[in-house]
Amino acid sequence: MATTPRSGGASGTGTAQRPNGTSQNKSCQFKLVLLGESAVGKSSLVLRFVKGQFHEYQESTIGAAFLTQTICIEDTVVKFEIWDTAGQERYHSLAPMYYRGAQAAIVVYDIQNQDSFQRAKTWVKELHKQASPNIVIALAGNKADLSNIRVVEFDEAKQYAEENGLLFMETSAKTGMNVNDIFLAIAKKLPKNDGANNQGTSIRPTGTETNRPTNNCCK
Amino acid sequence: MSELKAPSLQSLLESERGSTDSLLAESLQLDFEDLDDAEFAIPPTDVLPTLEAVLSEFEADSDVASEFGMPVPHATPTPSIGEDSTIRTDGRGGGGSIMRYTLLHGISAQLSSAAERVNAGAASSCAVAAFIAIGTSHGHILNFDVTQTLRWAHQDKHGQGAVASLAFNADSTRLLAGFSRGLVAMLDTHTGDVLRELFDVITPNTGVLHVKWTSRSSLALCADAGGSVWSLSFTRKLGIRGCQSRCLFSGARGEVCAVEPLIMDSQGRHELDQYCIVALATLSKYFIVTVRPRLRVIKYHVLQGPPDCLPLLAWHLVLIQAADTSRSVDPVIVVGRGNQLFFHQLFVSNGRITLLYLRHVQLQGSLLSAHWLGPKCVASLDTAEILHLVDVRSSKELECMDMANAGLVYGSAQFKGLATGGNVSPAFALAGSNACYNSVVSRGTQLYVLGARSLHIIGVRTWSERISFLVKHHRWQEACQLALDGYIASVDRPRKRAQAKERIIMLFKEYIANSARAPEYCLGAIVNCLITVGELDLLWTQLWEKLHNSSTELFLQHISEHIEKETIHSVNPVISQALVDYWLEHSPAKLEQLILKLDWMCLDLNQVLKAVKKHRLFRAQIYLNTQALNDYTAALTELLPLVTPDETDLGNCLLVYVSSCLAGREYPSGEIPVELVHQVKHDVLRCLTSQHSKENAGDELPYPYLRALLKFDTRETLNVISLAFQEREFSNELGISHRKRIINLLLEIMSPENATWAEIGCLLNFIAQQISMQCLPRDRQLLERVLSHLAQEEIANESSRQHSERENAWHELLSSNCLAEISSDEEQLRLAEKAKCYCVVEYLLEKLERYDTILDSYIRNEARHETMFAYMERHVASPKRSIFRQLKRNLRELLTINAKETTRLLSLHYPEKINELLDNLRREENLLYLFLKCLNDRKSELEASQMELLLELYCKMESSSTVEEFLRSNSGYRLENAIAIAESHHLNRSVIYLYEKQESYAKAFELSMELLKSAAGEEAAKEAQTISALLARSVETLPAQELERCWFALLQYILPHQELQSITKSLLHEASQHIDLHNLVQLIMNTHNVSTSFGDIKDLLMGMLDSSRHKTEALRASAGALCQDLHLKFVKRYQHAHRGLWVTTTKCSMCRQRLYDHSQVLIFGGCGHGIHEQCMEESETQFEECPRCFTAIPDQSIGLPRPNKNLISISSSLEMGALQLKAPPRRFI
């Protein structure tokens, strides 16, 4: 049975309370990245998970946004460091900066938008090709509260997820359906022992060969 | 046992140093033979297992040991015992963190117990090695192990008094004990068995002061209370233990107080290992001596100090950095006396042992002891029982500790020889009152201080231990500083650096554990530590999570400072979010500065980009777009629409940004990566020149981005494009076409409907410059268009600067010969004249060599007027330039522009032409006047006619006062002509001046009177005063009668006028100086209608009376003086007439004829001789003395007309000495 996650007091500074107060609990820290087409609800999904809020008119994300949330699962405290990337095409070059070095990724699509599902498939392929081999990928079909006008069938997405070894849930940031569940499922699937070794690793977006060194020296 | 005493050390000093003595050689030979047979007891095999473990716990890390490769010396283990609160620690130096005090409670308790129960007496000496041995005043020896457990106790059975000195050998198997009555005993360290008891090895009837083992295992030294030093060679023949003693130094020649052998323990790795070296000190000197292989004095020095102070000696191996950058590990001895410490290095140089002075340290008080605590520090105990820790390298006192409560044991009894009847010298006894050689012992980095019933340890904390101490006392600031110092000091040693880093991390964890109580001011120090060692993750995770609200802000401020100083370039995303929120609230400008210095990958781009847009942080927005999004056009598409003429900051920012991008540089600093430069340039240029914006509003004009920049600042935008054209991308054929396209775009954008003529002018000038610099091909159509603009006759609102730029552009095109195909030079010349581009005209005339009209273009171009005169000056000697002809033709204009410079040129180069030029200007009086005036100002010595002409012009154009001034300052004119000119212009004052100059005062007066009569009021008064001054000046010229007439004329005019009454008095006074007063008064009385009152002429009348009285008095005085003078003369003559006659001869002194019966006789006074008057006249000389007797003739001499015979005869008889009955006449004097 998973414990209900508690929301932190401020964005980015969330700290969960230890349920039993002992210092023997393990503590894990994971980097998680959200990918998907623009306007599919990535930011709403994270906002619901971290703050329990939903904004009907969510602004487009610029570049990437950072949030943290800590949950308790069994006897382990799991801290997610979440990078919510922008889905617009102009920001596509930023994505590798964030998913490289990430332990988990949620690829989001809109069940009303077939193109977003196709885009999600493209993201999955890119992750398999360039991301960490052990990355845990979850496929999220958002806006499930509008299932009466769905375009992407549940079975089609589920079959695709099973074929590619993905976690799959249809979610609704508006109603909160399966929002916590998908993060819990990821937490359960992540290796805890290996996670403990990640306690001291860098949690910044990792550089790649295309990353330009920031040279601030005046010449 | 045979005892063979070698020659004493003192005798060697008296002989030649280094010489060998047969007796010494024999002794050495004997020792060598004995060594072959020596056998020592087998060490015990029952070593406790815990001993090694206990020792290793307290192993000190010595730099010199690790550097030299030596095994680290084992420090005596210290059980964990709480500090004694009674010990007061001074706060100086290390603040109590360097020296650590520990009381050995176990040993102290057993000492007290032994004293109480078995009457062992108070502690008197101690030695520390693998065991701790303590001797007592009643001859007991207690031996403790590292656990403070008593292993054995020994009691002297022979009544030898107190244990004066104890010494362990190198491997801690033997213990030597010296007693105050002379016994030297050797004991087994493990069992306490007595191996040797030596009663007669030192001076008889003296006590032991020191026992010391040397570097040789079978050789020890002993110093007695008589000041002698003995060597003890332990022997074992046929299983019988024995000892041979030999006197090395006799106390009779100097009493040795201190003995200190050098123990190398380097296992043969040092050159000095082959020697057995000992340091000795007396009350006045110290010696460095080799005992093996032979006895020799290496060096000695004088050691002075207070008489109640003992010398101190201590050896240690020290890493020494020499001047030639070589490093060595050599023994260093510290020698102390009084409050002085001297350091000397002992080393082998060219096969010889050398002692080198290193440094000197002076402390506050007199010293009791000096010991090394590690290779870098010396611990000194002063007479106030305060322990000072001194850093040898810096000669500074690091810390001090008060040891007064320790109950320090003094060896005064031994130095005073109390146990042997006090048979010591008084100096020895006095100095020994502060002896504590055997109660303060050092080992490794620990100092053992023996109290009467206690044993204390003072150790030097290691760097890590010091940090722990400071942490324990919550002195976080000092702990962090010390930790950083250690880390920075280990920059060249990776292993030590790693250790220091680990220690800092440990310190950080201790800080976290105590963070609830830690003061916030230490937060900066902790942050600094972690940043310096590169453990940033600890900052972002463990430290950040522990902070509260106020300390969170403090933390963010510290982090911001480090970002600004560029010690860190990236932070945790959580921190970056907090930083953004914090500085948005406090200072958005500072936030922008931080963003520009941070690695973008640690930022929440969504948060930051929205914030910078909202707060208009343009630079940060550009930075993030380019760095993070790799989008070099977003800044243009998003920000250019916001540019307005009022947004100067944004506009300038974008101009710099575009210029940087097109030049391949990052904004605001750095370089664009090489692989991206080409793409960035292309993208930026394409975006800038795009025909439609992203939004593509229906009503927007084409090329909105470029248009916006041009509208903001046309000139600077064109400058940016000009710089871009110099880049490599515009140099090839494709680049040239790009240039043309951009030029066409600019022309299309800046049409007259959308731009002002000023802006269009900037563009066309820009194009002209581009063409002239070969940056654009010569496009005939384009050039025609450019030329049509440049040649415009009239441009509305064109400023002088714009006109000048137009001229410059045209000039550049001509210089680069770009317009040759468009039109001929003649046509260009005509166009330039119409457009008033006189620089171009000038250039073309110069090119066409039409020098005769080139000056015209100079004259019309106001900006070139100064250059024009330089041009004429430069070419004045060139006939083809026709300078004079052009000067003559344009003389009027040139004089109007700069008359002074024109005149200078003409008078300097064409003086003969001046008259001709003057004739040309006859009908233009203004220019003529200007010309002449400048000539005159140059002191050109004009002719008289020219000067008069100038005067004429002055009269016409200037005021009368100016003319008058001109007349006064010049004199080249002819007076008659000048007067005529001035009169013709009715300049009466000038005429008056000229009349006066001509000395025609009468005419000047007449004219002045006319002015006076025509003036009225105040002006008349001034005029009258002027006339008065004129008449005063004419006194020497005008005849008196004429002068009086003039004055009368003036006064006759003034007196009747009521308005001139104010000056009547002064004029009358002035007149009285020059004319007769009677006539003046009569004039006043006879004048009708006199307006003055009696008061006005009162002074005049009184003056007349005074003058008359003065003259009367003067006349009377003169007459009186004259009468008195006559009276005096008469009196003298009367007296002279009544004077008696004394004649002493009857013959003339000249002719020798008789004196009487002649007409006139002169009788000389004084001598009475006489002379005929005729003879006097004939001689033609004035006698000053009598010609007969040469007596000086007095002033008075008397003449006798016709003296009778009787008078002369009677007088002469007296000369013969005859006595007369009549009274003789008086001799006049």
Side-chain angles (χ1 to χ4, degrees):
Chain A
M1 175 64 65
T3 308
T4 303
R6 296 180 178 84
S7 176
S11 173
T13 58
T15 302
Q17 299 293 330
R18 299 171 183 271
N20 50 16
T22 63
S23 61
Q24 297 178 357
N25 282 356
K26 292 186 288 183
S27 176
C28 303
Q29 187 169 277
F30 298 117
K31 178 184 177 185
L32 185 147
V33 60
L34 270 79
L35 301 164
E37 181 80 335
S38 175
V40 297
K42 299 188 294 300
S43 297
S44 297
L45 196 66
V46 176
L47 192 65
R48 171 65 72 182
F49 175 59
V50 171
K51 298 186 178 180
Q53 300 173 8
F54 176 79
H55 298 150
E56 190 67 37
Y57 302 101
Q58 180 75 29
E59 292 181 2
S60 293
T61 303
I62 303 173
F66 178 82
L67 304 96
T68 59
Q69 176 65 301
T70 303
I71 62 174
C72 293
I73 177 170
E74 294 170 353
D75 61 346
T76 305
V77 175
V78 176
K79 178 180 182 182
F80 282 114
E81 295 186 341
I82 304 165
W83 285 102
D84 174 22
T85 64
Q88 297 174 24
E89 182 64 27
R90 64 183 291 214
Y91 301 119
H92 181 262
S93 62
L94 285 178
M97 308 296 177
Y98 295 105
Y99 64 64
R100 287 204 175 108
Q103 285 88 34
I106 301 177
V107 181
V108 185
Y109 69 94
D110 183 356
I111 65 172
Q112 304 174 81
N113 189 337
Q114 184 68 36
D115 289 339
S116 68
F117 182 62
Q118 295 300 324
R119 185 71 182 119
K121 291 180 179 179
T122 306
W123 278 118
V124 169
K125 291 174 184 173
E126 185 170 338
L127 287 172
H128 282 158
K129 189 185 301 181
Q130 301 192 43
S132 172
N134 300 323
I135 191 170
V136 174
I137 305 174
L139 184 65
N142 199 33
K143 306 188 182 180
D145 54 295
L146 304 174
S147 59
N148 55 341
I149 55 175
R150 69 166 59 236
V151 174
V152 181
E153 294 297 334
F154 180 89
D155 292 338
E156 179 185 3
K158 182 174 178 61
Q159 181 180 358
Y160 174 81
E162 289 174 351
E163 290 171 357
N164 291 275
L166 314 177
L167 295 171
F168 172 70
M169 286 184 187
E170 285 197 346
T171 61
S172 172
K174 187 170 186 179
T175 63
M177 185 187 82
N178 279 345
V179 172
N180 293 335
D181 294 338
I182 194 167
F183 283 94
L184 285 173
I186 292 170
K188 288 177 181 178
K189 195 171 182 181
L190 285 165
K192 307 299 184 301
N193 295 330
D194 295 340
N197 295 331
N198 293 332
Q199 184 70 25
T201 59
S202 172
I203 55 178
R204 292 187 296 108
T206 55
T208 61
E209 57 274 10
T210 61
N211 180 26
R212 291 163 288 104
T214 303
N215 184 8
N216 290 327
C217 297
C218 298
K219 294 184 178 180
Chain B
M1 178 185 301
S2 63
E3 294 186 358
L4 180 62
K5 294 191 176 182
S8 67
L9 186 64
Q10 193 68 31
S11 64
L12 290 179
L13 291 176
E14 296 172 354
S15 64
E16 292 182 0
R17 188 176 302 176
S19 66
T20 58
D21 189 275
S22 59
L23 195 56
L24 177 61
E26 185 178 355
S27 172
L28 290 175
Q29 189 68 24
L30 182 59
D31 288 341
F32 180 75
E33 290 175 359
D34 291 342
L35 284 175
D36 290 341
D37 300 330
E39 292 181 5
F40 293 94
I42 298 173
T45 57
D46 55 345
V47 176
L48 296 179
T50 57
L51 182 63
E52 183 176 357
V54 174
L55 288 173
S56 63
E57 291 177 5
F58 299 90
E59 178 176 325
D61 191 1
S62 173
D63 288 340
V64 60
S66 61
E67 182 70 28
F68 196 66
M70 293 167 54
V72 177
H74 289 175
T76 302
T78 306
S80 176
I81 300 175
E83 288 189 343
D84 190 342
S85 60
T86 59
I87 300 297
R88 175 169 57 86
T89 300
D90 198 327
R92 289 187 294 167
S97 69
I98 301 175
M99 289 196 286
R100 173 186 57 234
Y101 168 79
T102 307
L103 174 66
L104 297 178
H105 288 287
I107 291 178
S108 302
Q110 292 178 85
L111 283 175
S112 299
S113 175
E116 291 169 358
R117 287 188 283 166
V118 299
N119 194 25
S124 59
S125 62
C126 71
V128 179
F131 300 89
I132 301 173
I134 298 178
T136 69
S137 60
H138 291 170
H140 290 246
I141 300 174
L142 308 175
N143 192 33
F144 302 89
D145 60 12
V146 295
T147 62
Q148 303 189 53
T149 303
L150 182 64
R151 298 289 299 270
W152 50 263
H154 172 76
Q155 182 178 8
D156 173 42
K157 303 292 194 303
H158 306 286
Q160 288 291 314
V163 180
S165 180
L166 294 165
F168 286 101
N169 63 347
D171 54 358
S172 299
T173 56
R174 297 287 186 263
L175 177 68
L176 274 181
F179 290 81
S180 59
R181 288 208 169 99
L183 171 64
V184 175
M186 176 186 288
L187 296 91
D188 186 304
T189 308
H190 297 278
T191 62
D193 296 336
V194 177
L195 304 179
R196 292 179 173 84
E197 284 186 333
L198 313 171
F199 289 93
D200 301 321
V201 294
I202 62 173
T203 309
N205 201 32
T206 61
V208 172
L209 290 182
H210 304 289
V211 288
K212 299 278 183 178
W213 289 93
T214 67
S215 57
R216 300 295 191 265
S217 58
S218 62
L219 181 63
L221 302 178
C222 182
D224 60 30
S228 302
V229 178
W230 302 80
S231 68
L232 307 179
S233 300
F234 301 109
T235 61
R236 186 167 182 176
K237 296 180 177 178
L238 302 176
I240 299 173
R241 294 188 174 88
C243 176
Q244 291 183 345
S245 72
R246 184 179 60 192
C247 185
L248 299 180
F249 194 98
S250 172
R253 299 187 179 277
E255 295 164 316
V256 171
C257 309
V259 178
E260 194 69 29
L262 169 62
I263 310 297
M264 292 291 293
D265 196 19
S266 58
Q267 299 179 5
R269 280 190 282 264
H270 199 281
E271 293 171 300
L272 291 170
D273 284 345
Q274 58 182 314
Y275 301 97
C276 178
I277 297 171
V278 179
L280 307 171
T282 66
L283 286 174
S284 59
K285 299 187 182 70
Y286 71 92
F287 308 85
I288 308 296
V289 176
T290 56
V291 180
R292 292 282 189 274
R294 65 176 182 269
L295 188 65
R296 186 164 66 92
V297 175
I298 296 173
K299 187 168 284 190
Y300 67 94
H301 280 296
V302 173
L303 183 63
Q304 295 178 344
D308 60 343
C309 292
L310 287 167
L312 308 169
L313 301 169
W315 290 101
H316 206 280
L317 290 174
V318 176
L319 175 68
I320 295 175
Q321 184 79 43
D324 57 357
T325 71
S326 66
R327 303 168 73 185
S328 62
V329 178
D330 285 324
V332 172
I333 185 167
V334 54
V335 182
R337 184 86 191 274
N339 65 341
Q340 313 282 334
L341 290 177
F342 304 92
F343 294 83
H344 299 267
Q345 175 191 0
L346 193 73
F347 61 100
V348 180
S349 174
N350 298 324
R352 296 177 63 253
I353 302 174
T354 307
L355 195 72
L356 177 68
Y357 171 80
L358 291 178
R359 70 183 67 229
H360 160 254
V361 177
Q362 184 166 323
L363 300 174
Q364 293 295 320
S366 296
L367 301 178
L368 298 176
S369 72
H371 293 87
W372 290 89
L373 290 187
K376 299 177 178 176
C377 299
V378 166
S380 304
L381 200 60
D382 63 15
T383 51
E385 299 190 0
I386 294 176
L387 187 66
H388 304 266
L389 189 66
V390 176
D391 180 71
V392 174
R393 178 170 297 184
S394 62
S395 303
K396 291 182 179 178
E397 183 174 310
L398 300 177
E399 206 170 85
C400 62
M401 183 185 289
D402 190 354
M403 300 296 297
N405 291 331
L408 186 64
V409 169
Y410 291 87
S412 307
Q414 283 76 37
F415 274 81
K416 294 178 180 176
L418 300 183
T420 56
N423 55 342
V424 297
S425 65
F428 217 65
L430 173 62
S433 61
N434 286 318
C436 55
Y437 287 115
N438 294 290
S439 56
V440 181
V441 179
S442 71
R443 178 174 171 83
T445 59
Q446 290 178 318
L447 189 75
Y448 292 80
V449 178
L450 183 64
R453 294 188 176 186
S454 60
L455 186 63
H456 313 263
I457 299 179
I458 293 90
V460 174
R461 290 191 173 93
T462 62
W463 171 77
S464 181
E465 289 169 347
R466 287 182 62 195
I467 296 174
S468 299
F469 174 85
L470 293 169
V471 165
K472 183 178 178 182
H473 292 82
H474 303 291
R475 291 156 66 178
W476 297 104
Q477 194 77 32
E478 297 170 70
C480 292
Q481 188 62 50
L482 181 60
L484 270 186
D485 291 343
Y487 181 79
I488 293 169
S490 61
V491 65
D492 295 327
R493 290 172 286 180
R495 178 174 156 272
K496 284 207 160 295
R497 193 172 181 88
Q499 291 176 353
K501 182 173 180 178
E502 287 298 321
R503 186 63 185 89
I504 287 177
I505 293 173
M506 187 189 305
L507 169 64
F508 168 72
K509 292 179 178 178
E510 291 163 336
Y511 178 83
I512 290 293
N514 293 274
S515 62
R517 294 178 290 156
E520 284 187 357
Y521 77 90
C522 296
L523 187 61
I526 285 287
V527 169
N528 195 35
C529 276
L530 292 177
I531 289 175
T532 303
V533 302
E535 288 291 329
L536 300 182
D537 286 345
L538 296 177
L539 277 177
W540 314 141
T541 54
Q542 300 186 33
L543 181 56
W544 172 254
E545 292 172 0
K546 290 283 185 177
L547 298 175
H548 304 292
N549 286 333
S550 58
S551 54
T552 298
E553 292 196 356
L554 187 61
F555 176 84
L556 294 176
Q557 289 171 16
H558 285 302
I559 296 299
S560 301
E561 287 177 15
H562 284 280
I563 294 169
E564 285 184 294
K565 293 188 292 188
E566 300 188 6
T567 50
I568 56 174
H569 303 280
S570 181
V571 298
N572 180 285
V574 177
I575 307 299
S576 74
Q577 287 175 333
L579 280 171
V580 170
D581 290 335
Y582 177 78
W583 287 115
L584 277 181
E585 180 183 353
H586 290 81
S587 174
K590 189 171 181 77
L591 173 62
E592 187 174 41
Q593 294 172 22
L594 295 176
I595 289 171
L596 293 174
K597 289 182 181 290
L598 275 172
D599 182 3
W600 66 268
M601 286 188 286
C602 71
L603 297 171
D604 182 338
L605 290 179
N606 186 56
Q607 177 202 28
V608 175
L609 281 166
K610 288 179 178 177
V612 298
K613 287 181 182 178
K614 180 181 178 184
H615 293 267
R616 303 169 68 83
L617 307 179
F618 305 124
R619 292 175 185 81
Q621 189 170 349
I622 293 171
Y623 170 76
L624 291 172
N625 273 313
T626 56
Q627 300 291 319
L629 306 181
N630 270 327
D631 190 347
Y632 288 83
T633 61
L636 302 177
T637 57
E638 295 172 6
L639 296 177
L640 269 172
L642 306 178
V643 174
T644 60
D646 299 330
E647 288 280 354
T648 54
D649 187 54
L650 173 57
N652 292 327
C653 185
L654 286 173
L655 280 170
V656 174
Y657 168 70
V658 170
S659 182
S660 299
C661 288
L662 296 179
R665 292 193 306 271
E666 283 284 6
Y667 178 86
S669 62
E671 298 287 332
I672 296 176
V674 175
E675 66 275 8
L676 297 180
V677 166
H678 183 72
Q679 187 65 35
V680 167
K681 291 183 179 181
H682 177 263
D683 289 347
V684 168
L685 195 59
R686 188 178 66 176
C687 172
L688 202 63
T689 58
S690 61
Q691 193 164 8
H692 300 291
S693 66
K694 280 190 170 181
E695 291 76 21
N696 193 10
D699 58 344
E700 74 175 9
L701 296 171
Y703 311 105
Y705 301 128
L706 187 53
R707 187 184 298 270
L709 271 186
L710 289 166
K711 182 60 66 178
F712 171 72
D713 194 330
T714 304
R715 184 184 309 277
E716 294 305 325
T717 304
L718 294 174
N719 281 339
V720 167
I721 295 174
S722 175
L723 290 172
F725 280 178
Q726 300 174 26
E727 294 292 322
R728 182 166 45 87
E729 284 78 7
F730 291 96
S731 59
N732 52 19
E733 184 176 348
L734 186 63
I736 296 295
S737 66
H738 281 325
R739 291 169 188 256
K740 293 176 67 176
R741 175 174 170 267
I742 291 173
I743 295 294
N744 288 329
L745 283 179
L746 293 169
L747 289 169
E748 183 177 345
I749 292 169
M750 303 191 71
S751 58
E753 299 81 29
N754 298 314
T756 64
W757 277 111
E759 294 167 344
I760 294 172
C762 287
L763 173 59
L764 293 177
N765 289 338
F766 166 76
I767 295 172
Q769 289 168 9
Q770 295 297 310
I771 294 173
S772 65
M773 291 192 297
Q774 312 293 334
C775 296
L776 280 175
R778 299 181 184 181
D779 189 325
R780 183 182 185 89
Q781 186 176 0
L782 182 62
L783 284 170
E784 285 178 355
R785 184 170 176 178
V786 168
L787 184 58
S788 65
H789 161 72
L790 296 175
Q792 286 184 80
E793 296 183 17
E794 185 70 28
I795 295 179
N797 300 323
E798 185 185 39
S799 65
S800 59
R801 179 185 172 186
Q802 290 161 348
H803 186 80
S804 178
E805 288 183 353
R806 186 152 65 105
E807 285 186 293
N808 287 332
W810 196 342
H811 184 277
E812 289 179 7
L813 286 172
L814 288 169
S815 300
S816 57
N817 206 25
C818 296
L819 299 176
E821 301 174 3
I822 305 300
S823 60
S824 65
D825 289 338
E826 293 289 341
E827 291 178 5
Q828 298 274 336
L829 180 60
R830 182 171 47 81
L831 290 171
E833 285 176 347
K834 288 183 178 180
K836 299 187 175 62
C837 294
Y838 297 115
C839 282
V840 178
V841 173
E842 180 188 327
Y843 173 83
L844 290 169
L845 289 173
E846 192 83 31
K847 185 179 180 185
L848 296 171
E849 296 191 356
R850 289 167 55 174
Y851 302 123
D852 54 339
T853 56
I854 201 168
L855 202 63
D856 298 338
S857 63
Y858 275 108
I859 289 171
R860 295 175 200 163
N861 191 352
E862 186 176 346
R864 299 282 285 176
H865 283 169
E866 190 169 341
T867 311
M868 170 176 62
F869 289 103
Y871 167 83
M872 289 191 284
E873 188 92 36
R874 185 167 64 251
H875 297 289
V876 75
S878 177
K880 67 176 182 178
R881 291 280 175 171
S882 303
I883 298 298
F884 177 73
R885 251 174 52 196
Q886 297 187 74
L887 263 169
K888 183 178 176 181
R889 185 171 70 247
N890 297 290
L891 184 61
R892 290 162 181 79
E893 290 80 6
L894 290 169
L895 286 170
T896 305
I897 292 167
N898 194 335
K900 185 176 179 182
E901 190 67 19
T902 305
T903 307
R904 186 189 69 82
L905 271 171
L906 288 168
S907 63
L908 193 64
H909 299 290
Y910 306 105
E912 71 281 2
K913 302 289 187 180
I914 289 180
N915 281 324
E916 179 183 351
L917 297 173
L918 287 170
D919 290 338
N920 289 346
L921 297 172
R922 282 291 174 181
R923 288 186 297 277
E924 303 190 38
E925 290 182 341
N926 284 330
L927 295 176
L928 181 62
Y929 166 68
L930 200 61
F931 188 24
L932 282 168
K933 186 174 185 299
C934 288
L935 284 170
N936 189 49
D937 290 342
R938 281 183 49 83
K939 313 295 181 186
S940 298
E941 295 188 3
L942 295 174
E943 297 174 2
S945 60
Q946 295 169 349
M947 186 65 75
E948 288 155 13
L949 177 58
L950 180 56
L951 174 59
E952 179 84 28
L953 295 168
Y954 259 102
C955 293
K956 287 183 178 179
M957 300 182 181
E958 301 286 355
S959 62
S960 57
S961 60
T962 306
V963 172
E964 191 172 346
E965 186 177 348
F966 167 78
L967 289 168
R968 291 179 186 277
S969 60
N970 291 274
S971 59
Y973 49 82
R974 288 166 292 194
L975 283 172
E976 294 80 7
N977 295 342
I979 290 170
I981 293 168
E983 282 181 344
S984 66
H985 291 89
H986 306 289
L987 300 177
N988 292 324
R989 296 189 186 281
S990 299
V991 175
I992 292 168
Y993 170 80
L994 293 169
Y995 275 138
E996 185 174 351
K997 198 169 181 180
Q998 200 182 26
E999 296 190 349
S1000 300
Y1001 285 100
K1003 293 182 179 179
F1005 174 76
E1006 296 299 330
L1007 193 56
S1008 298
M1009 287 300 297
E1010 291 179 9
L1011 292 179
L1012 175 60
K1013 291 173 183 176
S1014 62
E1018 190 67 25
E1019 186 176 342
K1022 291 182 180 179
E1023 197 66 45
Q1025 289 176 346
T1026 303
I1027 295 172
S1028 174
L1030 173 66
L1031 291 174
R1033 291 196 296 269
S1034 66
V1035 167
E1036 297 181 0
T1037 306
L1038 282 176
Q1041 186 175 3
E1042 184 69 16
L1043 180 62
E1044 185 171 289
R1045 187 188 67 78
C1046 292
W1047 272 112
F1048 280 6
L1050 176 61
L1051 290 172
Q1052 284 175 355
Y1053 178 81
I1054 290 174
L1055 289 172
H1057 286 81
Q1058 186 69 26
E1059 64 272 13
L1060 298 177
Q1061 186 174 352
S1062 62
I1063 62 171
T1064 302
K1065 185 186 294 185
S1066 61
L1067 287 180
L1068 287 171
H1069 177 74
E1070 186 69 29
S1072 63
Q1073 307 296 322
H1074 306 288
I1075 61 176
D1076 188 76
L1077 291 179
H1078 292 92
N1079 294 335
L1080 181 58
V1081 171
Q1082 187 169 357
L1083 170 65
I1084 296 170
M1085 302 301 295
N1086 293 335
T1087 303
H1088 299 289
N1089 300 325
V1090 172
S1091 62
T1092 59
S1093 62
F1094 175 78
D1096 294 332
I1097 64 172
K1098 173 185 173 184
D1099 290 345
L1100 181 61
L1101 294 174
M1102 296 299 293
M1104 291 173 59
L1105 291 175
D1106 288 341
S1107 178
S1108 175
R1109 181 166 56 251
H1110 288 158
K1111 288 182 179 180
T1112 303
E1113 291 292 336
L1115 185 59
R1116 184 181 295 109
S1118 298
L1122 183 60
C1123 290
Q1124 188 172 7
D1125 187 59
L1126 289 174
H1127 176 71
L1128 290 174
K1129 287 184 177 180
F1130 178 76
V1131 166
K1132 288 181 180 179
R1133 285 178 174 272
Y1134 182 80
Q1135 291 177 349
H1136 195 75
H1138 286 82
R1139 183 165 58 189
L1141 176 65
W1142 178 272
V1143 181
T1144 59
T1145 182
T1146 59
K1147 295 181 184 295
C1148 177
S1149 301
M1150 293 291 293
C1151 64
R1152 300 295 181 183
Q1153 299 297 324
R1154 61 176 181 269
L1155 291 173
Y1156 53 88
D1157 297 334
H1158 276 262
S1159 61
Q1160 185 75 14
V1161 174
L1162 291 175
I1163 305 299
F1164 299 138
C1167 63
H1169 294 151
I1171 188 170
H1172 294 136
E1173 182 179 14
Q1174 186 176 358
C1175 295
M1176 172 70 77
E1177 293 174 355
E1178 290 175 356
S1179 67
E1180 296 182 356
T1181 59
Q1182 292 291 332
F1183 291 98
E1184 293 185 356
E1185 58 187 17
C1186 181
R1188 180 166 178 169
C1189 64
F1190 303 105
T1191 305
I1193 298 174
D1195 293 336
Q1196 297 86 12
S1197 62
I1198 188 168
L1200 295 174
R1202 298 185 177 276
N1204 55 34
K1205 177 180 178 181
N1206 293 331
L1207 176 61
I1208 300 299
S1209 299
I1210 292 170
S1211 299
S1212 61
S1213 65
L1214 294 176
E1215 185 176 3
M1216 293 182 290
L1219 179 64
Q1220 299 292 326
L1221 296 176
K1222 295 182 179 178
R1226 292 175 294 174
R1227 182 192 292 269
F1228 66 91
I1229 299 174

